Every structure is written in C-alpha cells, then in structure tokens.
Amino acid sequence: MEFTPSDTSSPGAPQPAPGPRRPWVVGVSGASGTPFAASVLRALLAAGEAVDLVVSRASRLTLLDETGIAFRDAYWQADLRQWLARGADGSPETFRVTEAELARVRYWPAGDLAAGPSSGSYPAKGMLIVPASTACVAGVALGLSKDLLQRTASVTLKERRPLVVAVRETPLSGPTLKQLVALDEAGAVVLPASPAFYAGATHIQDLVDFVAGRALDAAGVPHGLYRRWEGELGRASREEGPGVR
C-alpha cells in the first residue's frame, strides 16, 4: 500500500479551545528517535492543542544526525516546520504544516531555567518526554533539574500533572530500571518506545505513529494515529495499513 500522510490542516481539524493558553510541554532528549517526537507534535497540533517545546542540547545532535536538520534558536520556526514535514523514512515534505499550527507552538531554549514551564504556577496541562534518554531518565528520577527539560519534568511531578516518559534505549541496565521504577512510583507513565504489529503496519511511519499514539493515549489526548485492537484475530493481515489516516 502506498503511504498516504495525514493532512492536519483539513477543514474539520479541531480548533484551539477559547480561554487562557494551557499547553502540553514536549521535551525532546538526546536519545535516538526524533521521528517519535515529530509524530507526537503533529498529533497534538492536529488535536488543536497548544505546545511548549523544549529541545535538549544533546537532542540537537541526534536530530542533525537522523534528519540533517540543524535546530537553531534564532530560526526554530523554520527548522521545526522542516522537521515536522519530514516523514519517518526521511522523505521531505511528507506532511503539511500550516502557519496556524506553528502559531500554537512556543519554543523555550533548554538552558533557559527562567522559562515559563520551570515554575509550578505556569498553566501547563502536563508533559511528554519523547524520546527519553537514559541520562534524562536518571536526571528526572534524581530531581537534578540540570536543564529546562529536567526542571519541567520535576515541576510536572510535584504539581501532580501527567508526565509521560517514552524511554528509548535497549538493553536497559539495572540502574536505569531502578530509576524507571522511581518515576513510576512518583506518578509518571513509563512508556518504552516499543511498536506493536497488530495494527497492520505497512510503513515505518506506522510503527513510529503507534508509539506516538500510545504516548498520547497515556496523556489523554485524542488522535487517529493507529488502528486500535478490537478483539478480532487476523484483522491486520486482511486489511491494508492502520486504516485511520
């Protein structure tokens, strides 16, 4: 089946709710898996959500390595547009990104510890760290707050807001497993970036979108990124693709 990307700019796409801005914070750490972050960001914007974006210093290197995109503070909107338009297979301009969607994104440099999300009084809905490296997991579990990403995660936990940690590493060491347990006990959702195949994936984008969709499920954000299990064996082999695009 030929892959057909979602068009998040359709006339029926959800519109931002009126009232004070309450964003989801998306933190991108240095683990491999920048397409997961792009899928989460696209889906949040397609759902009409506002987004605050924090890109760690290490993740810039990963993004450059995986996509060739240099994410720059001074040109973040242009770089973000290029990133979100890119498919998981590396194809440019796979997805359409509108000005209205980009207008709902606020970018905070990772070194800005005075940024809005660093305070519990900042009106955020919650946070998704996608992907989360083991260094990021350790920093959040230990409460180090060495940069804005870790500080925002600590704030999210102390304010009892949803925190989804999409850890991307294999195998996992004993110390990391203990830190993941600590995050779970603190109230975070630990979500390994592990795609499933029952949704009938036919393209690498389908596998990426499954992980992104499960992260959004954990946050309670509606989406149509993958076909849900309905208790019917063999459905994936009889139908083409996830069937929800």
Side-chain angles (χ1 to χ4, degrees), residues 55-143:
V55 179
S56 76
R57 291 179 61 186
S59 68
R60 295 171 186 244
L61 298 177
T62 306
L63 183 63
L64 181 62
D65 181 57
E66 293 183 345
T67 69
I69 297 171
F71 198 88
R72 302 159 295 175
D73 287 348
Y75 303 98
W76 69 267
Q77 286 182 313
D79 296 336
L80 179 62
R81 180 194 294 277
Q82 185 182 1
W83 181 17
L84 296 187
R86 185 184 179 90
D89 63 354
S91 300
E93 303 301 325
T94 299
F95 296 93
R96 183 181 178 188
V97 184
T98 69
E99 291 294 335
E101 288 169 337
L102 286 177
R104 282 187 271 118
V105 180
R106 181 178 293 171
Y107 168 69
W108 302 97
D112 185 4
L113 291 176
S118 68
S119 172
S121 65
Y122 187 76
K125 289 185 176 181
M127 183 179 189
L128 300 96
I129 305 177
V130 186
S133 66
T134 54
C136 174
V137 166
V140 176
L142 297 173

Side-chain angles (χ1 to χ4, degrees), residues 1-215:
M1 183 187 76
E2 182 178 357
F3 174 67
T4 303
S6 303
D7 184 356
T8 60
S9 63
S10 61
Q15 299 300 311
R21 183 179 185 273
R22 289 193 65 220
W24 284 96
V25 181
V26 176
V28 187
S29 80
S32 176
T34 54
F36 294 128
S39 182
V40 164
L41 288 165
R42 285 192 299 265
L44 284 170
L45 296 174
E49 299 285 350
V51 173
D52 276 20
L53 178 63
V54 181
V55 179
S56 76
R57 291 179 61 186
S59 68
R60 295 171 186 244
L61 298 177
T62 306
L63 183 63
L64 181 62
D65 181 57
E66 293 183 345
T67 69
I69 297 171
F71 198 88
R72 302 159 295 175
D73 287 348
Y75 303 98
W76 69 267
Q77 286 182 313
D79 296 336
L80 179 62
R81 180 194 294 277
Q82 185 182 1
W83 181 17
L84 296 187
R86 185 184 179 90
D89 63 354
S91 300
E93 303 301 325
T94 299
F95 296 93
R96 183 181 178 188
V97 184
T98 69
E99 291 294 335
E101 288 169 337
L102 286 177
R104 282 187 271 118
V105 180
R106 181 178 293 171
Y107 168 69
W108 302 97
D112 185 4
L113 291 176
S118 68
S119 172
S121 65
Y122 187 76
K125 289 185 176 181
M127 183 179 189
L128 300 96
I129 305 177
V130 186
S133 66
T134 54
C136 174
V137 166
V140 176
L142 297 173
L144 298 182
S145 296
K146 75 180 183 89
D147 61 9
L148 181 61
L149 194 158
Q150 292 184 13
R151 170 60 186 168
T152 303
S154 295
V155 166
T156 303
L157 287 175
K158 79 180 182 69
E159 296 295 326
R160 302 296 191 265
R161 295 169 184 160
L163 174 63
V164 181
V165 181
V167 60
R168 217 306 306 160
E169 183 61 274
T170 189
L172 294 170
S173 68
T176 298
L177 290 170
K178 293 176 182 177
Q179 290 152 2
L180 291 172
V181 169
L183 288 178
D184 176 78
E185 292 175 343
V189 175
V190 175
L191 192 142
S194 302
F197 294 84
Y198 61 76
T202 60
H203 190 279
I204 187 175
Q205 189 67 54
D206 298 326
L207 299 176
V208 167
D209 286 348
F210 180 88
V211 172
R214 293 298 287 147

Side-chain angles (χ1 to χ4, degrees), residues 197-202 227 232-241:
F197 294 84
Y198 61 76
T202 60
R227 177 194 294 145
E232 183 181 352
L233 292 174
R235 181 182 174 190
S237 63
R238 295 194 300 273
E239 299 181 13
E240 289 189 347

